[in-house]
């Protein structure tokens, strides 16, 4: 299993980013995919899951309406649209495959929200 995230960066409060995750080494279309984030000095926080067929997505109540997960099974990619970013969203963002509690093992992509 290989997962490589990209798309992070420095963004001002209120801004947006679109994160990407390229997957390889497994049957991508058979797995639900997740995004988790690790804020500085904290543990992993689950932020989104999308079903294997892309038909269903899930978010914690605190993030509904700001973040949107999607996937392209033809390209083995999963995406996360981040909107209305605040400093509290500063973290390393990781994608994972399978159950939502799967610990991240990929490098992740850094998102820093600062003015």
């Amino acid at each position: 299993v290989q997962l490589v995230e990209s798309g992070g960066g420095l963004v001002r409060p209120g801004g947006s980013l679109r994160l990407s995750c390229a997957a390889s080494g497994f049957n991508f279309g058979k797995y639900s995919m997740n995004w988790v984030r690790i804020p500085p000095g904290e543990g992993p926080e689950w932020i989104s899951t999308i079903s294997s067929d892309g038909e269903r997505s899930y978010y914690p109540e605190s993030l509904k309406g700001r973040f949107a997960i999607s996937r392209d099974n033809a390209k083995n990619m999963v995406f996360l649209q981040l909107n209305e970013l605040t400093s509290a969203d500063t973290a390393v963002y990781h994608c994972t495959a399978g159950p939502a509690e799967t610990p991240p093992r990929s490098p992740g992509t850094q998102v820093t929200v600062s003015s």
Side-chain angles (χ1 to χ4, degrees):
V1 174
Q2 185 171 17
L3 300 167
V4 180
E5 302 90 347
S6 61
L10 174 63
V11 62
R12 294 184 183 277
S16 298
L17 283 174
R18 186 182 191 227
L19 308 183
S20 300
C21 171
S24 60
F26 65 105
N27 194 341
F28 180 78
K30 299 288 188 182
Y31 286 81
S32 59
M33 296 294 295
N34 317 288
W35 284 94
V36 300
R37 67 185 181 185
I38 305 179
E42 300 183 28
E45 175 189 6
W46 168 73
I47 54 176
S48 188
T49 294
I50 189 166
S51 60
S52 58
D53 60 4
E55 292 295 314
R56 297 173 303 283
S57 58
Y58 309 92
Y59 309 87
E61 282 294 325
S62 60
L63 296 178
K64 278 185 180 179
R66 289 201 302 124
F67 291 4
I69 191 171
S70 61
R71 67 189 293 163
D72 184 339
N73 283 357
K75 296 182 179 179
N76 286 10
M77 300 283 294
V78 62
F79 307 97
L80 185 68
Q81 178 69 37
L82 311 175
N83 299 318
E84 301 175 30
L85 288 163
T86 74
S87 58
D89 297 312
T90 294
V92 179
Y93 286 69
H94 302 260
C95 60
T96 64
E101 60 269 22
T102 302
R105 294 187 175 91
S106 52
T109 187
Q110 174 72 49
V111 172
T112 301
V113 185
S114 175
S115 55

